[in-house]
Amino acid sequence: MSSRKRLTPDARHAQLLAVGARLFAAHPYADVLMEHVAEEAGVSRALLYRHFPSKHALFAAVYRQAADQLLAETRLDPADSLVDQLIQGMDVHLDYFVANRNAVLAANRVLAGDPVIQTIMTNELDALRARLLAVLPLTDEPAREAVSGVLKSWLVFVQVLCVDWLGNETCTRTQLRDVCVGAVLGALRPLLADDPAPDWPRHGSARR
């Protein structure tokens, strides 16, 4: 058990979030108990419950923080090629998914349909879609609406595919990433005046 330390409320909240994130990453959702979180953090259960009234509330806070961090680390820079931007974004998310397999599976399977968790996911996907729309060469509103619809569907496709891959790794991580990148490029090409990625596919990249 960690030694007890007096922390400010904000510092204690951050500590409990960090402990919760570690435990939800390391164990299936059902195996993480609030008493384990309290013990790991070196606090009483009463103090833990003052910050997070339930395991669900703690998990939601952990997942919201993760979504915010993923958005912060996903850099869509118009100075980079669209392919490079997509690869960077996919790599950031796959890094998190692999390192936090249990938490991702809990959010998408154990808590599938939970309104709080689904709202966090929807907000992140909407933010990613808005960022992608901002870097694409869209000349008019009809094109923007069409591309927005494609991106919305593609982001859900990526989410489902990646979650399935976490449960059953039927291909390499690079192949998974390239499937996702190739899917959106293929879907966008008919809607844009210019090919957004004339050098894609990169022959042989999926075999790495």
PDB file of all heavy atoms in Angstrom, residues 67-84:
ATOM      1  N   ALA A  67      -9.553  10.539 -23.822  1.00  0.00           N
ATOM      2  CA  ALA A  67     -10.041  11.111 -25.080  1.00  0.00           C
ATOM      3  C   ALA A  67      -9.466  12.508 -25.288  1.00  0.00           C
ATOM      4  O   ALA A  67      -9.053  12.872 -26.400  1.00  0.00           O
ATOM      5  CB  ALA A  67     -11.564  11.155 -25.075  1.00  0.00           C
ATOM      6  N   ASP A  68      -9.414  13.298 -24.222  1.00  0.00           N
ATOM      7  CA  ASP A  68      -8.849  14.649 -24.320  1.00  0.00           C
ATOM      8  C   ASP A  68      -7.365  14.594 -24.683  1.00  0.00           C
ATOM      9  O   ASP A  68      -6.871  15.392 -25.492  1.00  0.00           O
ATOM     10  CB  ASP A  68      -9.031  15.400 -23.002  1.00  0.00           C
ATOM     11  CG  ASP A  68     -10.488  15.748 -22.716  1.00  0.00           C
ATOM     12  OD1 ASP A  68     -11.312  15.720 -23.649  1.00  0.00           O
ATOM     13  OD2 ASP A  68     -10.798  16.043 -21.543  1.00  0.00           O
ATOM     14  N   GLN A  69      -6.639  13.650 -24.089  1.00  0.00           N
ATOM     15  CA  GLN A  69      -5.212  13.530 -24.371  1.00  0.00           C
ATOM     16  C   GLN A  69      -4.972  13.067 -25.808  1.00  0.00           C
ATOM     17  O   GLN A  69      -4.046  13.544 -26.483  1.00  0.00           O
ATOM     18  CB  GLN A  69      -4.560  12.560 -23.384  1.00  0.00           C
ATOM     19  CG  GLN A  69      -4.480  13.117 -21.967  1.00  0.00           C
ATOM     20  CD  GLN A  69      -3.964  12.113 -20.963  1.00  0.00           C
ATOM     21  OE1 GLN A  69      -3.918  10.905 -21.216  1.00  0.00           O
ATOM     22  NE2 GLN A  69      -3.564  12.603 -19.792  1.00  0.00           N
ATOM     23  N   LEU A  70      -5.805  12.143 -26.291  1.00  0.00           N
ATOM     24  CA  LEU A  70      -5.663  11.666 -27.664  1.00  0.00           C
ATOM     25  C   LEU A  70      -5.899  12.805 -28.658  1.00  0.00           C
ATOM     26  O   LEU A  70      -5.187  12.929 -29.655  1.00  0.00           O
ATOM     27  CB  LEU A  70      -6.638  10.520 -27.924  1.00  0.00           C
ATOM     28  CG  LEU A  70      -6.286   9.186 -27.254  1.00  0.00           C
ATOM     29  CD1 LEU A  70      -7.421   8.183 -27.427  1.00  0.00           C
ATOM     30  CD2 LEU A  70      -4.995   8.627 -27.830  1.00  0.00           C
ATOM     31  N   LEU A  71      -6.893  13.626 -28.374  1.00  0.00           N
ATOM     32  CA  LEU A  71      -7.141  14.772 -29.244  1.00  0.00           C
ATOM     33  C   LEU A  71      -5.956  15.743 -29.222  1.00  0.00           C
ATOM     34  O   LEU A  71      -5.562  16.283 -30.261  1.00  0.00           O
ATOM     35  CB  LEU A  71      -8.418  15.498 -28.823  1.00  0.00           C
ATOM     36  CG  LEU A  71      -9.739  14.804 -29.181  1.00  0.00           C
ATOM     37  CD1 LEU A  71     -10.907  15.533 -28.530  1.00  0.00           C
ATOM     38  CD2 LEU A  71      -9.924  14.756 -30.704  1.00  0.00           C
ATOM     39  N   ALA A  72      -5.392  15.958 -28.041  1.00  0.00           N
ATOM     40  CA  ALA A  72      -4.260  16.877 -27.927  1.00  0.00           C
ATOM     41  C   ALA A  72      -3.040  16.355 -28.674  1.00  0.00           C
ATOM     42  O   ALA A  72      -2.243  17.137 -29.213  1.00  0.00           O
ATOM     43  CB  ALA A  72      -3.919  17.104 -26.457  1.00  0.00           C
ATOM     44  N   GLU A  73      -2.876  15.041 -28.715  1.00  0.00           N
ATOM     45  CA  GLU A  73      -1.701  14.442 -29.345  1.00  0.00           C
ATOM     46  C   GLU A  73      -1.907  14.174 -30.833  1.00  0.00           C
ATOM     47  O   GLU A  73      -0.940  13.840 -31.533  1.00  0.00           O
ATOM     48  CB  GLU A  73      -1.344  13.135 -28.632  1.00  0.00           C
ATOM     49  CG  GLU A  73      -0.854  13.344 -27.199  1.00  0.00           C
ATOM     50  CD  GLU A  73      -0.739  12.041 -26.429  1.00  0.00           C
ATOM     51  OE1 GLU A  73      -0.837  10.963 -27.070  1.00  0.00           O
ATOM     52  OE2 GLU A  73      -0.558  12.090 -25.203  1.00  0.00           O
ATOM     53  N   THR A  74      -3.136  14.306 -31.318  1.00  0.00           N
ATOM     54  CA  THR A  74      -3.408  14.104 -32.742  1.00  0.00           C
ATOM     55  C   THR A  74      -3.200  15.426 -33.456  1.00  0.00           C
ATOM     56  O   THR A  74      -4.021  16.333 -33.367  1.00  0.00           O
ATOM     57  CB  THR A  74      -4.846  13.594 -32.960  1.00  0.00           C
ATOM     58  OG1 THR A  74      -5.030  12.365 -32.236  1.00  0.00           O
ATOM     59  CG2 THR A  74      -5.109  13.337 -34.439  1.00  0.00           C
ATOM     60  N   ARG A  75      -2.094  15.535 -34.152  1.00  0.00           N
ATOM     61  CA  ARG A  75      -1.723  16.795 -34.799  1.00  0.00           C
ATOM     62  C   ARG A  75      -2.062  16.715 -36.283  1.00  0.00           C
ATOM     63  O   ARG A  75      -1.426  15.966 -37.025  1.00  0.00           O
ATOM     64  CB  ARG A  75      -0.232  17.070 -34.602  1.00  0.00           C
ATOM     65  CG  ARG A  75       0.189  17.184 -33.145  1.00  0.00           C
ATOM     66  CD  ARG A  75       1.669  17.490 -33.025  1.00  0.00           C
ATOM     67  NE  ARG A  75       2.489  16.484 -33.693  1.00  0.00           N
ATOM     68  CZ  ARG A  75       2.882  15.355 -33.116  1.00  0.00           C
ATOM     69  NH1 ARG A  75       2.517  15.089 -31.865  1.00  0.00           N
ATOM     70  NH2 ARG A  75       3.625  14.496 -33.770  1.00  0.00           N
ATOM     71  N   LEU A  76      -3.047  17.464 -36.700  1.00  0.00           N
ATOM     72  CA  LEU A  76      -3.395  17.543 -38.110  1.00  0.00           C
ATOM     73  C   LEU A  76      -2.875  18.867 -38.641  1.00  0.00           C
ATOM     74  O   LEU A  76      -3.487  19.916 -38.465  1.00  0.00           O
ATOM     75  CB  LEU A  76      -4.910  17.414 -38.297  1.00  0.00           C
ATOM     76  CG  LEU A  76      -5.511  16.073 -37.858  1.00  0.00           C
ATOM     77  CD1 LEU A  76      -7.011  16.054 -38.089  1.00  0.00           C
ATOM     78  CD2 LEU A  76      -4.840  14.911 -38.585  1.00  0.00           C
ATOM     79  N   ASP A  77      -1.711  18.818 -39.255  1.00  0.00           N
ATOM     80  CA  ASP A  77      -1.019  20.021 -39.729  1.00  0.00           C
ATOM     81  C   ASP A  77      -1.151  20.106 -41.245  1.00  0.00           C
ATOM     82  O   ASP A  77      -0.652  19.226 -41.957  1.00  0.00           O
ATOM     83  CB  ASP A  77       0.447  19.947 -39.322  1.00  0.00           C
ATOM     84  CG  ASP A  77       1.209  21.228 -39.648  1.00  0.00           C
ATOM     85  OD1 ASP A  77       0.670  22.061 -40.397  1.00  0.00           O
ATOM     86  OD2 ASP A  77       2.333  21.383 -39.142  1.00  0.00           O
ATOM     87  N   PRO A  78      -1.809  21.154 -41.758  1.00  0.00           N
ATOM     88  CA  PRO A  78      -1.959  21.279 -43.213  1.00  0.00           C
ATOM     89  C   PRO A  78      -0.635  21.298 -43.960  1.00  0.00           C
ATOM     90  O   PRO A  78      -0.607  21.053 -45.165  1.00  0.00           O
ATOM     91  CB  PRO A  78      -2.706  22.611 -43.366  1.00  0.00           C
ATOM     92  CG  PRO A  78      -3.392  22.828 -42.052  1.00  0.00           C
ATOM     93  CD  PRO A  78      -2.480  22.238 -41.031  1.00  0.00           C
ATOM     94  N   ALA A  79       0.459  21.583 -43.263  1.00  0.00           N
ATOM     95  CA  ALA A  79       1.771  21.578 -43.914  1.00  0.00           C
ATOM     96  C   ALA A  79       2.212  20.155 -44.258  1.00  0.00           C
ATOM     97  O   ALA A  79       3.049  19.956 -45.144  1.00  0.00           O
ATOM     98  CB  ALA A  79       2.807  22.244 -43.015  1.00  0.00           C
ATOM     99  N   ASP A  80       1.654  19.158 -43.574  1.00  0.00           N
ATOM    100  CA  ASP A  80       1.970  17.763 -43.861  1.00  0.00           C
ATOM    101  C   ASP A  80       1.010  17.232 -44.923  1.00  0.00           C
ATOM    102  O   ASP A  80      -0.080  17.769 -45.123  1.00  0.00           O
ATOM    103  CB  ASP A  80       1.842  16.911 -42.597  1.00  0.00           C
ATOM    104  CG  ASP A  80       2.861  17.289 -41.533  1.00  0.00           C
ATOM    105  OD1 ASP A  80       3.939  17.793 -41.908  1.00  0.00           O
ATOM    106  OD2 ASP A  80       2.574  17.087 -40.343  1.00  0.00           O
ATOM    107  N   SER A  81       1.402  16.154 -45.573  1.00  0.00           N
ATOM    108  CA  SER A  81       0.498  15.523 -46.531  1.00  0.00           C
ATOM    109  C   SER A  81      -0.672  14.906 -45.780  1.00  0.00           C
ATOM    110  O   SER A  81      -0.576  14.594 -44.581  1.00  0.00           O
ATOM    111  CB  SER A  81       1.225  14.444 -47.322  1.00  0.00           C
ATOM    112  OG  SER A  81       1.502  13.319 -46.490  1.00  0.00           O
ATOM    113  N   LEU A  82      -1.793  14.707 -46.480  1.00  0.00           N
ATOM    114  CA  LEU A  82      -2.950  14.093 -45.848  1.00  0.00           C
ATOM    115  C   LEU A  82      -2.608  12.699 -45.332  1.00  0.00           C
ATOM    116  O   LEU A  82      -3.020  12.313 -44.234  1.00  0.00           O
ATOM    117  CB  LEU A  82      -4.118  14.018 -46.834  1.00  0.00           C
ATOM    118  CG  LEU A  82      -5.390  13.349 -46.299  1.00  0.00           C
ATOM    119  CD1 LEU A  82      -5.948  14.108 -45.101  1.00  0.00           C
ATOM    120  CD2 LEU A  82      -6.445  13.248 -47.405  1.00  0.00           C
ATOM    121  N   VAL A  83      -1.840  11.944 -46.108  1.00  0.00           N
ATOM    122  CA  VAL A  83      -1.452  10.597 -45.674  1.00  0.00           C
ATOM    123  C   VAL A  83      -0.668  10.659 -44.376  1.00  0.00           C
ATOM    124  O   VAL A  83      -0.929   9.892 -43.437  1.00  0.00           O
ATOM    125  CB  VAL A  83      -0.633   9.879 -46.771  1.00  0.00           C
ATOM    126  CG1 VAL A  83      -0.008   8.598 -46.218  1.00  0.00           C
ATOM    127  CG2 VAL A  83      -1.524   9.544 -47.960  1.00  0.00           C
ATOM    128  N   ASP A  84       0.298  11.569 -44.290  1.00  0.00           N
ATOM    129  CA  ASP A  84       1.097  11.679 -43.062  1.00  0.00           C
ATOM    130  C   ASP A  84       0.225  12.078 -41.870  1.00  0.00           C
ATOM    131  O   ASP A  84       0.434  11.598 -40.746  1.00  0.00           O
ATOM    132  CB  ASP A  84       2.218  12.700 -43.244  1.00  0.00           C
ATOM    133  CG  ASP A  84       3.337  12.174 -44.136  1.00  0.00           C
ATOM    134  OD1 ASP A  84       3.417  10.948 -44.315  1.00  0.00           O
ATOM    135  OD2 ASP A  84       4.113  12.998 -44.667  1.00  0.00           O
TER     136      ASP A  84
END
